[in-house]
Amino acid sequence: AAVRPAPEGLGDAEAAALTIAYQTAWFALHRKARIRPGEHLLVHAAAGGVGTAAVQLGVAAGARVIGVVGSPAKAAVATAAGAHHVLVRDDDLAARVKELTGGAGADVVVDPVGGASFEQSTRCIAFEGRIVVVGFASGDVPPVRANHALVKNYDVLGLHWALYQQRRPDLVDAAHDALTRLVAEGASRPVVADEVPFEDAPAAVQRLAGGTTTGRLVVHVAG
């Protein structure tokens, strides 16, 4: 039920990297946040799999994209994905986002990191902004302060994409069609950092856990 045609123009590894990361980014931006052209989009882990997808789809939606990466070495990946500005995560992140947005803050935040990144987002979210929580790569699940959301008038939205696959596969089909069109237009293309043989899959998982990878690692299963 979850099998769909691979978009023409993508290699096998790119097509394998399309589904979960790009579906997550699509639902975060369009189903949850209802992003609009001209809005400021803040993407945490912007050099990762979901992050590069969110950057590309944000640009395609007409947003002004600010990517956040964990180290200077990853900045070029976020820039290549289309981010208009790239920041290296530090304690001054909220202030720098406010500066880049003329003091208004980010209208939409896509956060696959959690922890301190979520806290920084609440400090630089715009009036009627939307923070979409898609994961906790930091290992730290942050508390959501309802009083803070009330006073600043922002929304915190959770996204569990796999639940759409179970309950609303029609929406997943529609998102896949939209992503296929973006690939055909050259507006979106998965970032594949490396392909590894099946026997090296455990080591690849450890590389992901170490936080040094960018884009997607694709496990090649010989058949």
Side-chain angles (χ1 to χ4, degrees):
V3 175
R4 291 174 180 83
E8 293 185 11
L10 294 185
D12 289 346
E14 292 173 319
L18 182 72
T19 299
I20 294 178
Y22 280 79
Q23 284 274 348
T24 297
W26 179 269
F27 273 80
L29 296 179
H30 295 284
R31 180 73 180 177
K32 289 290 187 173
R34 313 285 185 180
I35 197 164
R36 297 183 292 269
E39 288 193 312
H40 285 98
L41 167 63
L42 178 65
V43 179
H44 291 286
V50 173
T52 51
V55 169
Q56 290 180 10
L57 297 184
V59 172
R64 298 292 299 175
V65 181
I66 303 170
V68 181
V69 295
S71 67
K74 295 183 177 181
V77 176
T79 299
H84 300 95
H85 305 280
V86 178
L87 304 176
V88 178
R89 186 169 61 244
D90 60 24
D91 293 338
D92 295 327
L93 178 63
R96 296 168 73 190
V97 171
K98 284 288 192 71
E99 181 181 351
L100 290 172
T101 58
D107 299 293
V108 176
V109 178
V110 175
D111 182 12
V113 179
S117 294
F118 178 85
E119 178 61 27
Q120 291 274 22
S121 297
T122 65
R123 291 170 52 195
C124 63
I125 191 69
F127 173 74
E128 293 195 326
R130 292 85 76 199
I131 301 174
V132 187
V133 178
V134 301
F136 310 103
S138 67
D140 182 6
V141 179
V144 177
R145 292 179 291 157
N147 62 328
H148 194 259
L150 183 152
V151 171
K152 291 194 67 176
N153 210 51
Y154 64 87
D155 300 332
V156 179
L157 306 164
L159 172 58
H160 178 198
W161 173 77
L163 205 55
Y164 283 101
Q165 180 65 68
Q166 295 174 28
R167 297 191 178 187
R168 292 295 305 273
D170 59 308
L171 296 178
V172 178
D173 288 340
H176 183 75
D177 290 343
L179 291 170
T180 299
R181 288 194 297 272
L182 289 174
V183 169
E185 295 166 1
S188 183
R189 193 174 195 92
V191 177
V192 176
D194 197 9
E195 294 182 59
V196 299
F198 184 74
E199 57 268 25
D200 291 343
V205 172
Q206 289 300 316
R207 288 168 61 187
L208 286 173
T212 59
T213 61
T214 58
R216 280 307 214 201
L217 295 181
V218 176
V219 177
H220 179 73
V221 181

